[in-house]
């Protein structure tokens, strides 16, 4: 995934780790028709799940020492939180009591330190190359993904999410 990402993002062949993270961060938020890392690369839009899958694959290839690990956060998104973070349209897409959601982000190792990368929304602060980025989800319960992160994500979504509300919210964000 690294070489096609570098080409699609217009990065130099010897792009740095920070440049690659920034390139994925700049990909617009939106649900690709093919909800995979390849779909995000092809359609140049992605969700927390697909953008972090793409970034993890690129880092595994180019910077395996970062040991990228996907993490799923089960959290409650309230209309008030959505209004603060994303504006009135996003808040209006939620029911009064909010919604349960599952958000994916990435944890990597940089200079022996655990660092959080969340490249979901281009409007959020970028990565400085050393410290953790804020997670674009409310506080919740984190689940480090195992060998089949997409299956694990589907299991968590089935247990915690209303897909109609989630899709309506994602559409409002795009």
């Amino acid at each position: 995934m690294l070489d096609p990402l570098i080409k699609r993002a217009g990065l130099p062949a010897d792009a740095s780790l920070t440049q690659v993270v920034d390139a994925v961060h700049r990909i617009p938020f939106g649900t690709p028709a093919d909800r995979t890392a390849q779909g995000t690369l092809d359609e140049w839009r992605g969700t927390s799940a697909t953008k972090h899958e793409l970034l993890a694959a690129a880092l595994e290839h180019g910077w395996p020492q970062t040991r990228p690990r996907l993490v799923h956060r089960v959290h409650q998104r309230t209309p008030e939180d959505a209004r603060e973070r994303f504006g009135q349209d996003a808040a209006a897409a939620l029911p009064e009591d909010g919604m349960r959601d599952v958000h994916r982000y990435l944890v990597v190792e940089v200079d022996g330190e655990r660092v959080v990368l969340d490249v979901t929304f281009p409007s959020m602060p970028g990565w400085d190359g050393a410290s953790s980025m804020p997670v674009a989800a409310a506080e919740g319960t984190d689940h480090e993904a195992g060998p089949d992160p997409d299956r694990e994500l589907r299991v968590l979504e089935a247990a915690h999410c209303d897909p109609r509300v989630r899709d309506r919210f994602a559409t409002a964000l795009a």
Side-chain angles (χ1 to χ4, degrees), residues 13 54 87 161 164 168 173:
L54 173 61
C161 299
R164 295 168 307 202
R168 188 170 60 238
L173 293 174

Side-chain angles (χ1 to χ4, degrees), residues 6 13 16-18 25 30 39-40 72 78 87 102 105 107-108 120 136 168:
I6 285 173
S16 70
L17 171 63
T18 306
H25 190 211
T40 289
H72 300 120
T78 66
V102 181
Y105 64 94
V107 174
V108 297
T120 305
R168 188 170 60 238

Side-chain angles (χ1 to χ4, degrees), residues 14-45:
D14 63 346
S16 70
L17 171 63
T18 306
Q19 287 174 306
V20 169
V21 171
D22 184 57
V24 177
H25 190 211
R26 287 192 323 263
I27 296 172
F29 180 84
T31 305
D34 175 10
R35 294 180 181 203
T36 64
Q38 187 63 53
T40 289
L41 190 58
D42 293 344
E43 299 175 41
W44 208 243
R45 67 176 177 210

Side-chain angles (χ1 to χ4, degrees), residues 100-118:
R100 300 280 292 162
D101 195 11
V102 181
H103 178 79
R104 180 183 278 178
Y105 64 94
L106 194 61
V107 174
V108 297
E109 291 182 18
V110 177
D111 296 328
E113 298 292 321
R114 176 185 158 117
V115 175
V116 171
L117 300 179
D118 192 330

Side-chain angles (χ1 to χ4, degrees), residues 44-147:
W44 208 243
R45 67 176 177 210
T47 62
S48 69
T50 63
K51 290 176 75 171
H52 290 100
E53 178 187 354
L54 173 61
L55 183 57
L59 297 185
E60 285 171 358
H61 180 78
W63 296 271
Q65 71 277 12
T66 64
R67 298 182 54 218
R69 296 178 309 277
L70 295 168
V71 179
H72 300 120
R73 177 174 288 179
V74 178
H75 66 106
Q76 179 75 18
R77 176 75 67 198
T78 66
E80 295 78 24
D81 173 61
R83 188 175 299 103
E84 282 179 24
R85 290 180 187 241
F86 309 113
Q88 182 56 37
D89 289 344
L94 294 176
E96 193 174 297
D97 60 345
M99 74 169 185
R100 300 280 292 162
D101 195 11
V102 181
H103 178 79
R104 180 183 278 178
Y105 64 94
L106 194 61
V107 174
V108 297
E109 291 182 18
V110 177
D111 296 328
E113 298 292 321
R114 176 185 158 117
V115 175
V116 171
L117 300 179
D118 192 330
V119 296
T120 305
F121 300 108
S123 61
M124 292 188 70
W127 188 44
D128 64 10
S131 56
S132 289
M133 298 171 75
V135 176
E139 292 299 317
T141 306
D142 290 337
H143 305 266
E144 191 167 311

Side-chain angles (χ1 to χ4, degrees), residues 138-170:
E139 292 299 317
T141 306
D142 290 337
H143 305 266
E144 191 167 311
D148 191 349
D150 289 335
R151 185 184 78 64
E152 294 164 23
L153 178 63
R154 287 189 303 273
V155 167
L156 288 168
E157 288 173 337
H160 299 284
C161 299
D162 178 337
R164 295 168 307 202
V165 173
R166 191 168 199 252
D167 287 348
R168 188 170 60 238
F169 183 68

